[in-house]
Amino acid sequence: MSTPTFKKIDKEFCITDDSVNVYKYRCLTAGLLLDEVKKNPIGYHMHNREKGVVVRWEDFRIDGDKVFATPVVNLSHPEGQSIADQIESGFLNAASVGKIKVLEASEAKSLMLPGQERPTVTKWFPREISLVDIPGNFNALANLFDKDDNELNLSDLSNYTIEHTMSNTLDAAKILAALNLKDGDETEVVTAINNLVEKADKADGLEKDLEALKAESVTKQVEDLIDKGTTDKKLTVELATQLKKSFAENPDGLKDLIDKMPAQVSVTDELKNKDGQEKYNGKTWDDLYKSNDLPTIEKQFPDLYEKLRNEKFPNLKSN
C-alpha cells in the first residue's frame, strides 16, 4: 500500500475579510477575484517560497465578508507531516494572503474604517495563501472557539507586538504606460507624476480665473445697462438700484426689460415745457418762420410744431 503524499484536513481557515490589517489598509472581499485564486491555490509556510509549496486550498466559500477554504497539506514537503500535525493539534491556526496583485484601489473616505490609514484595495487577488502563526489580517484564522463554544478572532486575544512580512505587487506596468514611460529610472516616474500634479493645480487656478472674469463681465454689462436706462430717463434712481440688485446675474433679462420701458417725463420737465411754450401761443407759422423760431419749436415742442405745420399746409397732413 503506497504512502499518501497529501492530507486534506477537516478544518476551515478564514483566509481574508474586510477588516483593516496590521499594515493599516484593507482588501475588500467583494473585489477578490476568486477565480484567479482557484487557478493555482497554493501556499507556503510563513510565506517562505524557498522551502517549496506546503499547502493547496480547496472548498472555497464566502460567508458575508469572510472567505473560507480548507487546507490540503503536501506530505512530500520536508515539514509537511509536522505542519499537518500542528494544524490538527491546534498549534497552527492562521492563514495569510501573500503576493497580492492590486488591480484597483481607492482613497475614498466613505470606504475608510477606524484605524485605517491607507487606501482600500477594491479589486485584487493573492498569488499564494500561506499557513502562518500570526497573520497580517487579525481575522485570517482557522476557526477558534472559547469555553462557551463561541467563535474567536485573534484580535480578541491579549495585545502583543506582531512582526510579519507580506509582499504586495502593484501593477507598475499600467502606471508606466499611463505616464508614457519605459521601465527604468524611478526619477523619471516621480518627475512625470509631479508634472501632472502641477498641471492639475494650474488647471484649477485657470478655472477660478475664468469664473472671476465671467462674473466681472456680467457685472459690467448690468452697470452699463443701468447707466444707459438712467440717461434715457427710463429709470429713476430708486428703480435703478432695485433692478441692479435683482438682475445682478442676468444682463440679458435686464436689457429686455429696459428696452420695453418708455422714457419717464418728470412733472418739473412738464412744467418747464409748458412755461416755455406759452411765449409762442397765438403766433402763426409765418410769424415763427420770420423770427427763425421754427427749429427751436420743432425740437422742444414737437406737438406745437406739428399743429402749426398742418394749419399752414393742410394738404401735407401726415396719414
Side-chain angles (χ1 to χ4, degrees):
M1 185 175 179
S2 60
T3 304
T5 58
F6 63 88
K7 184 175 185 179
K8 184 173 183 178
I9 300 177
D10 187 19
K11 181 181 287 189
E12 280 191 324
F13 282 66
C14 175
I15 60 175
T16 185
D17 64 10
D18 286 349
S19 61
V20 181
N21 59 40
V22 295
Y23 311 104
K24 304 301 182 183
Y25 71 92
R26 66 193 188 107
C27 300
L28 297 185
T29 297
L32 172 62
L33 303 183
L34 196 53
D35 287 342
E36 291 294 329
V37 179
K38 291 179 180 179
K39 290 178 181 178
N40 187 34
I42 54 91
Y44 314 112
H45 182 221
M46 301 299 293
H47 296 290
N48 191 342
R49 187 182 182 188
E50 299 299 323
K51 290 187 176 183
V53 175
V54 74
V55 64
R56 180 179 77 246
W57 297 94
E58 296 183 354
D59 304 331
F60 289 90
R61 73 178 182 91
I62 298 176
D63 185 1
D65 70 320
K66 290 180 170 56
V67 181
F68 295 93
T70 302
V72 178
V73 178
N74 178 14
L75 297 180
S76 299
H77 190 283
E79 300 176 8
Q81 187 60 57
S82 172
I83 288 172
D85 293 342
Q86 291 179 62
I87 295 174
E88 291 182 321
S89 59
F91 286 97
L92 192 58
N93 298 301
S96 176
V97 292
K99 204 70 176 180
I100 293 176
K101 184 72 171 180
V102 178
L103 302 179
E104 293 180 6
S106 172
E107 294 186 349
K109 297 297 182 183
S110 59
L111 295 177
M112 302 285 278
L113 293 181
Q116 185 174 348
E117 298 175 1
R118 295 177 179 174
T120 301
V121 179
T122 56
K123 188 175 182 181
W124 65 287
F125 67 91
R127 292 294 190 189
E128 57 94 1
I129 306 168
S130 286
L131 291 162
V132 296
D133 51 2
I134 300 172
N137 184 327
F138 288 167
N139 293 330
L141 293 167
N143 291 14
L144 296 176
F145 299 87
D146 63 15
K147 59 183 178 63
D148 298 318
D149 206 33
N150 295 315
E151 187 173 355
L152 290 174
N153 292 323
L154 186 60
S155 55
D156 294 324
L157 305 180
S158 58
N159 295 326
Y160 51 84
T161 301
I162 297 178
E163 294 182 0
H164 180 62
T165 305
M166 183 170 67
S167 172
N168 292 338
T169 304
L170 291 172
D171 198 338
K174 288 186 178 180
I175 296 175
L176 291 171
L179 296 174
N180 197 26
L181 296 174
K182 295 181 179 179
D183 191 8
D185 191 356
E186 180 180 340
T187 303
E188 292 184 4
V189 176
V190 174
T191 300
I193 293 174
N194 287 337
N195 288 339
L196 288 175
V197 172
E198 184 178 354
K199 288 180 180 179
D201 290 340
K202 288 182 178 179
D204 289 340
L206 180 59
E207 184 177 353
K208 291 178 181 178
D209 290 342
L210 289 174
E211 288 296 328
L213 287 173
K214 181 179 178 181
E216 184 178 339
S217 175
V218 169
T219 300
K220 181 67 165 56
Q221 291 179 60
V222 171
E223 290 177 349
D224 289 345
L225 288 168
I226 292 294
D227 289 343
K228 187 176 186 305
T230 303
T231 301
D232 293 343
K233 297 184 178 181
K234 292 186 175 184
L235 304 176
T236 63
V237 174
E238 182 179 359
L239 181 58
T241 301
Q242 181 180 343
L243 292 180
K244 184 176 181 180
K245 181 178 181 181
S246 300
F247 290 83
E249 298 179 1
N250 186 13
D252 292 337
L254 178 61
K255 184 178 185 305
D256 290 341
L257 177 63
I258 293 177
D259 286 346
K260 296 175 183 178
M261 296 175 68
Q264 304 294 318
V265 180
S266 68
V267 174
T268 302
D269 289 340
E270 289 183 347
L271 291 175
K272 285 182 179 178
N273 289 340
K274 186 175 180 181
D275 292 341
Q277 184 177 325
E278 285 182 351
K279 66 179 180 179
Y280 301 114
N281 289 343
K283 293 187 178 182
T284 66
W285 176 275
D286 293 335
D287 293 335
L288 296 171
Y289 176 78
K290 292 177 181 179
S291 61
N292 201 29
D293 286 325
L294 283 176
T296 301
I297 293 174
E298 182 181 13
K299 181 178 180 180
Q300 297 184 3
F301 311 107
D303 292 341
L304 176 60
Y305 179 86
E306 186 70 14
K307 176 177 175 294
L308 294 172
R309 189 177 73 90
N310 290 338
E311 290 174 352
K312 176 65 176 178
F313 309 104
N315 296 328
L316 296 178
K317 288 184 179 180
S318 57
N319 295 326

